């Protein structure tokens, strides 16, 4: 599904990722954990195609194609979705309209028929219901005046609508209360399937109580310094990152 | 040249979508302006004597006036003697009675612009008084309007058929000597639209005029007069687009609105004249005076404009709120890109008690476009409890464009309340990336963000106009972000 080899990336001449390698198979959920400034968000943005980040070396192969050659929208058409850590406000742009335009842009790129408004509304209502979300979200402008929790719920709603092959959740749990966290996890878990993979980037172990990862990786100094299963997350919760960083430095 | 500049340069070559010159034989007087030209125009239009007097008066005053230079605009001086002041399609000599008699070439031009007149007649429920160059050549729905008592005709016709209304109202809102361009218009205006809505009548359809400028070197001097009698309502749509050409073209229109007691006039404009090439060469100079008076109590005038064309825009649709409890509104979207310059806004004169005005202005600048909002809110001494709310937002695309705001507020009544809000924002990389991550192309993302920005204004437009405006905005901003 996704193969990252020796990835090096920088922004404004500052190197953030310093040789990161990661293999993800179809149907797998990988968690990336790490202290602030370790390069977690950079990784997600490089994968989604943010142009400010310059890839200086390494390769990223996604479903057999060179991901780094694709524009952000082409990556989206290929099934990559990123739930933003800080979703962006689009004042005056209706949320329903935005989601329909997004879904139809992706369907069109794949040669699938576009959904008309009626069918789209049916679909979005089903998704809302499954996530126990309120319909009022549909009438508002994209993320405009949303609370932190509402923004994250909105991201998950979009994710379940677009049914991506590869979901990247960039610290989606930050700033969420337990209810919101539960809802986010519900959305993520509902999408789990043998074809779909997920990269869950998080600062805290807490989210992993709800979303059980197959693998946990520790990112530090722009590299993965330790990989393991779910138990690694628990160990980190207990001991912090210090001991791993010392080990890595040694 | 980086990729973004390359893309911009390529798109700049695409050119103006509505640009073409149609092939209708015209009758044009030689360039230049003196009394004889004005006498010729007046005679050609079979005007009553008082109109000729009125025109000559305006001309004399104009000669003594000076062209204003206070606007935030830069352009090469206009040579008024190089302009031809009259041009009429030849086929207009015996004016057509129905669409069947209209020059098929004309209809083809409209079709090219996506304005199929014959379909509009059937589908849109809009009566169209089409002004092609200077003479009206097609008027539809006359009968239905006549049944309602509505007068909707060319202003030349009104001078002949309804001289009492012309005498009573022409020049009462925008006097002959109001400003340099209005004086010029008063002297040489060739045609325009006249609307009268009788008492307690709701105009049965939206009235619409499509203006086109089609004659080389011909200034277009339209004059529109709309009178809504007591308790009446009318929605008037004005849309324009022009063929591509090399010379700068002057357009100095005057629009006067009169709303009597309890009357409501809604005036909407979508303006898409040729903006010139990437250096502004060949674009339209648009110096327009638009003003409405709420003459009676509880009258209401609402201006909505979407300005995407012209090299130079100088335009301040205004409201004089004379009647108590009268309402003035101004909703505007102005887009400037390439070398376009716009200095636009409104004036709200609060004279009566409990008068209310709302101003929502959205300026969008891209490339080297310069966009200025200039607004005046005046609360006169007698404007007890006058209220104004102004919201003035600017959106910048790229780093070579400019947005400027010149709000003037004059308050002479202590009970009046005036609020002014202004914001300036840039289309952020974050916003674009967010949209693109969701599968939208950059073009679609820009169009979506810009339309969101303009939503409050578009909401004020009649449905079919709003659709057109959205499309126009998307076309206007193609390739603006790169």
């Amino acid at each position: 599904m996704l193969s990252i080899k020796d990835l090096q990336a920088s922004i404004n001449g500052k190197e953030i990722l310093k040789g990161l390698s990661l293999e993800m198979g179809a149907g797998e959920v990988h968690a990336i954990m790490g202290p602030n400034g370790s390069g977690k968000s950079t990784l997600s943005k490089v994968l989604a195609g943010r142009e400010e980040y310059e890839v200086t070396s390494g390769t990223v192969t996604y479903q057999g194609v060179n991901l780094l050659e694709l524009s952000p929208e082409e990556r989206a058409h290929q099934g990559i979705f990123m739930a933003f850590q800080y979703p962006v406000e689009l004042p005056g742009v209706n949320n329903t309209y935005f989601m329909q335009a997004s879904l139809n842009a992706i369907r069109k790129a794949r040669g699938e028929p576009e959904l008309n408004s009626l069918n789209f509304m049916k679909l979005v209502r089903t998704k809302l219901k499954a996530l126990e979300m309120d319909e009022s979200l549909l009438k508002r402008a994209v993320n405009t005046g949303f609370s932190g929790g509402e923004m994250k719920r909105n991201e998950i709603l979009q994710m379940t609508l677009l049914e991506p092959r590869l979901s990247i959740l960039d610290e989606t749990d930050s700033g969420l209360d337990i209810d919101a966290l539960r809802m986010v996890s519900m959305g993520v878990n509902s999408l789990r399937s043998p074809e779909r993979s997920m990269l869950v980037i998080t600062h805290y172990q807490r989210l992993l109580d709800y979303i059980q990862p197959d693998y946990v990786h520790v990112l530090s100094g722009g590299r993965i310094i330790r990989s393991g299963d779910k138990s690694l997350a628990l160990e980190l919760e207990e001991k912090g990152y210090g001991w791993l960083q010392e080990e890595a430095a040694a | 040249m980086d990729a973004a500049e390359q893309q911009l340069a390529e798109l700049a070559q695409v050119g103006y979508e509505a640009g073409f010159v149609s092939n209708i034989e015209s009758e044009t007087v030689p360039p230049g302006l003196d009394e004889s030209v004005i006498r010729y125009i007046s005679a050609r239009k079979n005007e009553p004597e008082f109109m000729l007097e009125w025109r000559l008066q305006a001309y004399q005053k104009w000669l003594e006036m000076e062209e204003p230079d206070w606007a935030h605009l830069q352009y090469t001086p206009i040579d008024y003697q190089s302009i031809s002041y009259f041009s009429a399609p030849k086929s207009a000599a015996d004016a057509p009675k129905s669409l069947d008699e209209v020059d098929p070439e004309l209809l083809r031009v409209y079709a090219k612009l996506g304005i199929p007149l014959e379909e509009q007649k059937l589908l849109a429920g809009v009566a169209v008084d089409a002004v092609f160059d200077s003479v009206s050549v097609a008027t539809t729905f006359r009968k239905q309007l006549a049944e309602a008592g509505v007068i909707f005709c060319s202003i030349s016709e009104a001078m002949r058929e309804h001289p009492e209304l012309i005498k009573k109202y022409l020049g009462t809102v925008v006097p002959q000597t109001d400003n340099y361009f209005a004086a010029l218009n008063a002297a040489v205006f060739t045609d325009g639209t006249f609307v009268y809505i009788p008492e307690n009548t709701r105009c049965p359809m939206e009235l619409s005029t499509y203006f086109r400028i089609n004659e080389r070197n011909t200034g277009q001097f339209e004059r529109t007069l709309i009178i809504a009698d007591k308790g009446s309502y009318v929605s008037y749509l004005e849309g324009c687009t022009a063929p591509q050409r090399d010379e700068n073209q002057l357009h100095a229109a005057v629009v006067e609105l009169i709303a009597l007691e309890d009357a409501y006039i809604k005036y909407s404009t979508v303006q898409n004249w040729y903006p010139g090439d990437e250096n502004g060469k060949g674009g339209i100079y648009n110096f327009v005076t638009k003003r409405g008076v709420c003459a009676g109590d509880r009258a209401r005038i609402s201006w909505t404009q979407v300005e995407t064309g012209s090299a130079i825009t100088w335009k301040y649709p205004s409201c004089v709120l004379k009647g108590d409890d009268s309402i003035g509104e101004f909703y505007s979207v102005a887009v400037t890109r390439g070398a376009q310059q716009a200095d636009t806004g409104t004036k709200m004169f609060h004279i009566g008690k409990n008068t209310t005005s709302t101003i929502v202005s959205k300026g969008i600048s891209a490339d080297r476009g310069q966009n200025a909002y200039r607004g005046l809110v005046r609360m006169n001494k007698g404007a007890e409890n006058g209220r104004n709310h102004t919201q003035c937002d600017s959106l910048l695309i790229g780093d070579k464009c400019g947005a400027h705001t010149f709000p003037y507020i004059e308050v002479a009544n202590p009970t009046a309340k005036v609020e002014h809000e202004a914001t300036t924002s840039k289309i952020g990389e974050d916003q674009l990336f967010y949209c693109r991550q969701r599968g939208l192309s950059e073009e679609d993302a820009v169009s979506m963000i810009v339309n969101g920005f303009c939503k409050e204004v578009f909401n004020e437009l009649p449905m079919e106009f709003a659709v057109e405006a959205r499309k126009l905005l998307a076309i206007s901003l193609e390739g603006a972000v790169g």
Side-chain angles (χ1 to χ4, degrees):
Chain A
M1 165 76 69
L2 182 71
S3 169
I4 304 174
K5 289 207 170 82
D6 195 31
L7 183 64
Q8 298 186 25
S10 56
I11 184 162
N12 300 328
K14 191 180 176 228
E15 196 175 40
I16 311 280
L17 299 181
K18 300 170 181 170
L20 184 148
S21 297
L22 179 68
E23 295 289 331
M24 280 179 77
E28 294 173 0
V29 173
H30 290 239
I32 305 255
M33 301 185 70
N36 287 332
S38 59
K40 298 193 299 290
S41 277
T42 299
L43 173 62
S44 65
K45 282 168 187 154
V46 168
L47 291 178
R50 181 93 200 210
E51 277 144 0
E52 283 91 330
Y53 292 86
E54 194 192 347
V55 173
T56 49
S57 129
T59 60
V60 181
T61 313
Y62 168 74
Q63 292 186 322
V65 299
N66 179 1
L67 187 68
L68 300 175
E69 278 182 355
L70 303 182
S71 68
E73 56 269 36
E74 285 167 337
R75 297 180 199 205
H77 302 160
Q78 303 280 331
I80 292 183
F81 178 91
M82 178 167 115
F84 282 59
Q85 182 179 4
Y86 303 109
V88 181
E89 292 192 5
L90 303 175
V93 179
N94 175 271
N95 204 22
T96 307
Y97 175 72
F98 177 72
M99 289 190 287
Q100 189 182 352
S102 160
L103 181 63
N104 279 337
I106 292 172
R107 291 179 70 105
K108 201 173 161 190
R110 291 178 184 163
E112 295 165 15
E114 298 180 34
L115 285 190
N116 65 25
S117 298
L118 201 70
N119 289 333
F120 178 78
M121 281 314 290
K122 274 187 198 157
L123 178 66
V124 80
R125 289 214 167 94
T126 323
K127 302 292 182 187
L128 273 173
K129 217 170 174 186
L131 294 171
E132 296 168 17
M133 278 168 66
D134 196 72
E135 275 200 24
S136 66
L137 216 61
L138 297 178
K139 298 198 180 84
R140 295 162 66 183
V142 181
N143 296 322
T144 309
F146 282 26
S147 70
E150 283 174 330
M151 281 192 187
K152 298 294 174 72
R153 285 167 198 251
N154 199 37
E155 293 292 288
I156 298 304
L157 174 63
Q158 293 180 50
M159 188 176 83
T160 59
L161 264 174
L162 300 178
E163 300 186 330
R165 275 288 169 85
L166 173 64
S167 302
I168 303 160
L169 285 87
D170 188 5
E171 303 207 23
T172 301
D173 54 329
S174 63
L176 289 190
D177 60 27
I178 287 292
D179 285 343
L181 198 63
R182 207 177 53 81
M183 180 258 146
V184 165
S185 319
M186 205 159 69
V188 173
N189 289 329
S190 74
L191 276 180
R192 284 183 88 151
S193 82
E195 306 89 59
R196 281 192 244 288
S197 308
M198 298 185 193
L199 190 60
V200 180
I201 293 169
T202 181
H203 201 66
Y204 303 103
Q205 194 272 332
R206 195 176 61 155
L207 180 66
L208 305 180
D209 288 342
Y210 296 91
I211 304 170
Q212 303 264 329
D214 300 305
Y215 300 94
V216 173
H217 310 276
V218 177
L219 188 59
S220 176
R223 260 193 297 259
I224 287 175
I225 54 168
R226 176 69 67 99
S227 295
D229 61 13
K230 192 162 79 66
S231 63
L232 178 60
L234 295 169
E235 204 174 345
L236 287 168
E237 179 82 348
E238 207 174 297
K239 302 194 204 165
Y241 294 109
W243 60 284
L244 277 178
Q245 283 168 311
E246 277 162 31
E247 261 186 41
Chain B
M1 191 185 273
D2 66 18
E5 280 174 28
Q6 176 82 41
Q7 197 188 359
L8 252 183
E10 277 167 20
L11 278 153
Q13 302 306 314
V14 174
Y16 177 66
E17 290 217 345
F20 47 83
V21 175
S22 62
N23 234 337
I24 294 175
E25 284 184 84
S26 321
E27 220 177 292
T28 304
V29 299
L33 181 58
D34 56 28
E35 279 200 16
S36 72
V37 170
I38 293 165
R39 285 178 194 281
Y40 175 78
I41 293 170
S42 193
R44 266 299 304 262
K45 306 191 82 61
N46 300 319
E47 288 178 356
E49 183 63 24
F50 78 88
M51 274 312 302
L52 177 61
E53 300 283 315
W54 196 79
R55 285 176 181 276
L56 291 172
Q57 245 174 28
Y59 175 66
Q60 285 308 324
K61 300 255 175 67
W62 179 74
L63 287 175
E64 294 160 16
M65 295 170 90
E66 276 186 35
E67 196 172 325
D69 61 357
W70 42 260
H72 193 82
L73 300 170
Q74 284 180 333
Y75 55 94
T76 38
I78 300 161
D79 178 0
Y80 293 91
Q81 293 305 331
S82 73
I83 295 168
S84 167
Y85 288 85
F86 187 80
S87 156
K90 270 189 177 163
S91 56
D94 38 4
K97 313 282 180 296
S98 75
L99 280 181
D100 304 341
E101 291 174 37
V102 170
D103 191 331
E105 173 68 15
L106 262 186
L107 298 177
R108 233 168 44 77
V109 170
Y110 289 125
K112 254 191 198 175
L113 288 165
I115 312 163
L117 204 58
E118 58 275 58
E119 270 182 39
Q120 272 184 8
K121 190 175 169 186
L122 297 168
L123 298 173
V126 173
V128 176
D129 179 2
V131 175
F132 192 90
D133 265 30
S134 313
V135 174
S136 302
V137 290
T139 304
T140 55
F141 284 102
R142 291 289 283 274
K143 202 163 157 253
Q144 203 183 336
L145 291 170
E147 276 165 16
V150 172
I151 303 169
F152 177 45
C153 63
S154 76
I155 202 158
S156 321
E157 193 181 332
M159 280 172 211
R160 297 188 296 266
E161 308 282 325
H162 309 282
E164 71 296 342
L165 288 171
I166 294 288
K167 252 187 185 161
K168 187 169 175 191
Y169 291 110
L170 189 74
T172 58
V173 190
V174 179
Q176 283 152 299
T177 53
D178 186 78
N179 67 69
Y180 188 79
F181 299 106
L184 180 63
N185 175 287
V188 301
F189 76 92
T190 38
D191 215 330
T193 306
F194 177 81
V195 177
Y196 173 78
I197 314 290
E199 265 183 53
N200 299 319
T201 302
R202 194 182 163 86
C203 186
M205 63 193 69
E206 270 158 355
L207 301 179
S208 167
T209 300
Y210 286 93
F211 293 92
R212 282 184 62 82
I213 300 176
N214 205 53
E215 197 58 32
R216 284 180 176 272
N217 269 333
T218 306
Q220 180 123 5
F221 302 94
E222 302 287 347
R223 187 145 194 134
T224 299
L225 176 59
I226 299 176
I227 303 145
D229 214 324
K230 289 175 187 170
S232 69
Y233 167 80
V234 61
S235 166
Y236 186 86
L237 318 180
E238 170 199 37
C240 353
T241 170
Q244 186 158 1
R245 55 188 65 255
D246 295 318
E247 303 91 326
N248 278 310
Q249 288 184 301
L250 174 65
H251 187 248
V254 169
V255 176
E256 296 179 278
L257 309 183
I258 295 141
L260 300 179
E261 222 172 86
D262 295 301
Y264 178 13
I265 301 175
K266 192 172 167 59
Y267 193 105
S268 312
T269 306
V270 171
Q271 188 265 114
N272 180 29
W273 282 322
Y274 182 53
D277 63 14
E278 59 267 49
N279 296 314
K281 189 171 181 287
I284 304 290
Y285 286 8
N286 192 21
F287 293 89
V288 183
T289 306
K290 289 183 167 175
R291 193 176 303 148
V293 59
C294 287
D297 293 351
R298 296 169 303 279
R300 178 174 173 190
I301 287 177
S302 180
W303 299 100
T304 306
Q305 60 173 22
V306 177
E307 304 277 325
T308 62
S310 297
I312 303 280
T313 299
W314 181 97
K315 185 179 172 189
Y316 316 91
S318 306
C319 297
V320 181
L321 305 173
K322 251 188 201 162
D324 291 348
D325 303 292
S326 61
I327 298 171
E329 290 161 313
F330 173 74
Y331 301 95
S332 168
V333 167
V335 180
T336 54
R337 67 172 304 190
Q340 279 179 288
Q341 304 172 64
D343 193 302
T344 185
T346 184
K347 290 183 269 187
M348 294 290 175
F349 300 100
H350 291 252
I351 298 167
K353 293 185 191 107
N354 304 315
T355 46
T356 311
S357 63
T358 304
I359 298 170
V360 178
S361 164
K362 305 277 182 177
I364 301 165
S365 319
D367 306 333
R368 285 168 295 137
Q370 293 292 324
N371 216 321
Y373 167 81
R374 187 182 303 275
L376 167 67
V377 176
R378 178 186 290 160
M379 297 286 177
N380 276 19
K381 237 183 172 154
E384 282 297 305
N385 296 315
R387 292 279 180 277
N388 163 267
H389 182 82
T390 300
Q391 193 189 323
C392 189
D393 300 323
S394 305
L395 187 68
L396 304 174
I397 303 174
D399 53 11
K400 294 187 185 73
C401 55
H404 316 271
T405 307
F406 305 98
Y408 301 85
I409 296 171
E410 298 170 13
V411 180
N413 185 305
T415 63
K417 274 190 191 159
V418 179
E419 297 166 355
H420 183 93
E421 275 181 59
T423 67
T424 301
S425 53
K426 279 186 79 163
I427 286 196
E429 287 296 327
D430 286 341
Q431 288 178 317
L432 286 178
F433 179 64
Y434 188 75
C435 294
R436 295 176 72 190
Q437 208 301 303
R438 296 302 187 252
L440 299 168
S441 69
E442 191 164 276
E443 295 290 335
D444 288 346
V446 169
S447 161
M448 193 180 267
I449 292 164
V450 169
N451 275 303
F453 175 75
C454 300
K455 195 176 186 178
E456 285 160 278
V457 175
F458 288 169
N459 283 348
E460 296 298 324
L461 288 171
M463 187 65 135
E464 67 273 28
F465 240 33
V467 172
E468 202 174 304
R470 274 190 206 106
K471 271 195 228 151
L472 190 55
L473 209 60
I475 293 172
S476 304
L477 289 169
E478 248 166 37
V481 177

